């Protein structure tokens, strides 16, 4: 089984190929370039280096959100285009779940956080029981203080990861009622290897969709949509 993984939900751009329970190749770029400049060249480089024919891929796993609206649209369009061209199914991977999934067999409760600005984060809560991975709270958009109230209800200690950690670390430490932990740099960001690995698991479980069916999970409206709604309300009240 071979799965192509695509990750573009944040500043990180990442492409990976997962073959029979192993990462064949992974290319990750964490720099200020738009994903429209990076994803396809990265995929082309991986294909050239590995000499793996694209049509040998069984499915395309794409990080479907939440995250950057622009990044998600580019990743979605890339996956849909490849799926249609290759006639391959897509695997819809929740971004937050894939971030937690890479922390294999952690003894801590796992809480990825992505900065959504204005004290808001995209987050979820997960746990490993040995090798068994489970969801304690589905991914959602919420206020960081509200998240900490939820986290404080758990008896186990919690490990935070994601680009929201540098932004909210001090607040997390102040609001936490227990020791909290922060993932090291090599496992605290999104990566296509985790998307592809989780995609392989989903594929075996039959959790696939067509390219035309796939839609990103934004979880909340874009800033432009919110501003338009505010302007509309202002006009209506005048």
């Amino acid at each position: 089984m071979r799965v192509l993984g695509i990750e573009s939900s944040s500043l990180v751009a990442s492409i990976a190929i997962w073959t029979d329970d192993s990462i064949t190749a992974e290319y990750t770029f964490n720099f200020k370039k738009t994903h429209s400049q990076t994803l396809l060249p990265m995929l082309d480089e991986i294909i050239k280096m590995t000499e793996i024919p694209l049509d040998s891929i069984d499915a395309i796993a794409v990080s479907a959100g939440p995250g950057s609206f622009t990044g998600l649209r580019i990743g979605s369009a890339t996956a849909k285009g490849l799926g249609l061209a290759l006639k391959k199914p897509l695997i819809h991977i929740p971004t937050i779940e894939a971030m937690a999934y890479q922390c294999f067999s952690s003894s801590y409760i796992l809480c990825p956080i992505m900065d959504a600005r204005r004290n808001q984060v995209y987050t979820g809560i997960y746990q490993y029981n040995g090798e068994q991975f489970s969801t304690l709270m589905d991914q959602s958009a919420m206020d960081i203080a509200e998240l900490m109230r939820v986290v404080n209800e758990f008896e186990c200690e919690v490990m935070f990861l994601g680009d929201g950690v540098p932004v909210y670390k001090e607040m997390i430490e102040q609001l936490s009622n227990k020791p909290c932990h922060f993932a090291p740099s090599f496992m605290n960001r999104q990566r296509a290897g985790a998307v592809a690995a989780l995609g392989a698991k989903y594929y075996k479980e039959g959790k696939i969709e067509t390219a035309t069916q796939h839609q990103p999970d934004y979880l909340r409206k874009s800033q432009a949509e919110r501003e338009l709604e505010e302007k509309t309300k202002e006009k209506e009240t005048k």
Side-chain angles (χ1 to χ4, degrees), residues 19-74:
T19 307
D20 296 333
D21 295 327
S22 176
I23 294 178
T24 307
E26 185 173 22
Y27 192 157
T28 299
F29 196 86
N30 186 14
F31 198 69
K32 295 180 180 180
K33 282 194 174 182
T34 63
H35 297 319
S36 59
Q37 295 176 287
T38 55
L39 285 180
L40 288 177
M42 290 163 64
L43 174 60
D44 185 57
E45 187 67 23
I46 280 181
I47 295 302
K48 285 180 180 177
M49 290 291 290
T50 61
E51 299 183 351
I52 293 174
L54 262 179
D55 59 9
S56 71
I57 289 167
D58 295 297
I60 302 162
V62 57
S63 178
S68 159
F69 286 79
T70 301
L72 291 175
R73 290 189 185 107
I74 293 171

Side-chain angles (χ1 to χ4, degrees), residues 4-233:
L4 171 67
I6 299 174
E7 169 57 69
S8 63
S9 63
S10 68
L11 183 64
V12 175
S14 187
I15 297 284
I17 295 178
W18 177 272
T19 307
D20 296 333
D21 295 327
S22 176
I23 294 178
T24 307
E26 185 173 22
Y27 192 157
T28 299
F29 196 86
N30 186 14
F31 198 69
K32 295 180 180 180
K33 282 194 174 182
T34 63
H35 297 319
S36 59
Q37 295 176 287
T38 55
L39 285 180
L40 288 177
M42 290 163 64
L43 174 60
D44 185 57
E45 187 67 23
I46 280 181
I47 295 302
K48 285 180 180 177
M49 290 291 290
T50 61
E51 299 183 351
I52 293 174
L54 262 179
D55 59 9
S56 71
I57 289 167
D58 295 297
I60 302 162
V62 57
S63 178
S68 159
F69 286 79
T70 301
L72 291 175
R73 290 189 185 107
I74 293 171
S76 174
T78 302
K80 287 163 77 76
L82 289 170
L84 289 169
L86 300 171
K87 297 180 180 179
K88 302 294 183 180
L90 268 59
I91 309 169
H92 187 109
I93 302 296
T95 299
I96 304 296
E97 183 176 342
M99 292 174 69
Y101 189 69
Q102 65 182 308
C103 302
F104 178 76
S105 199
S106 172
S107 60
Y108 302 123
I109 287 175
L110 302 167
C111 185
I113 53 174
M114 296 176 67
D115 182 23
R117 301 186 180 180
R118 299 183 179 181
N119 281 338
Q120 294 279 310
V121 293
Y122 297 124
T123 187
I125 300 176
Y126 306 87
Q127 186 177 40
Y128 269 103
N129 184 6
E131 297 183 10
Q132 187 65 39
F133 182 74
S134 60
T135 301
L136 303 181
M137 184 184 80
D138 287 326
Q139 61 180 24
S140 59
M142 61 197 308
D143 186 86
I144 185 66
E146 180 186 354
L147 171 62
M148 291 310 299
R149 285 193 290 270
V150 175
V151 165
N152 285 338
E153 292 178 0
F154 292 98
E155 293 182 4
C156 296
E157 295 180 11
V158 180
M159 182 166 72
F160 297 87
L161 61 148
D163 62 25
V165 169
V167 181
Y168 299 108
K169 183 177 181 180
E170 185 175 340
M171 187 178 295
I172 289 170
E173 291 174 329
Q174 289 175 349
L175 296 177
S176 180
N177 63 0
K178 63 178 74 69
C180 45
H181 308 271
F182 302 95
S185 59
F186 60 86
M187 60 189 296
N188 72 355
R189 292 291 190 273
Q190 296 88 335
R191 52 178 296 209
V195 171
L198 188 54
K201 179 177 180 292
Y202 275 18
Y203 185 79
K204 292 176 182 177
E205 296 171 356
K207 298 178 181 179
I208 60 175
E209 59 187 3
T210 65
T212 53
Q213 289 173 328
H214 176 75
Q215 294 293 332
D217 293 327
Y218 296 117
L219 291 190
R220 68 174 191 171
K221 296 176 181 178
S222 68
Q223 182 177 346
E225 290 174 312
R226 295 195 302 271
E227 290 176 352
L228 179 60
E229 286 185 354
E230 289 174 2
K231 289 180 181 179
T232 303
K233 288 179 181 178

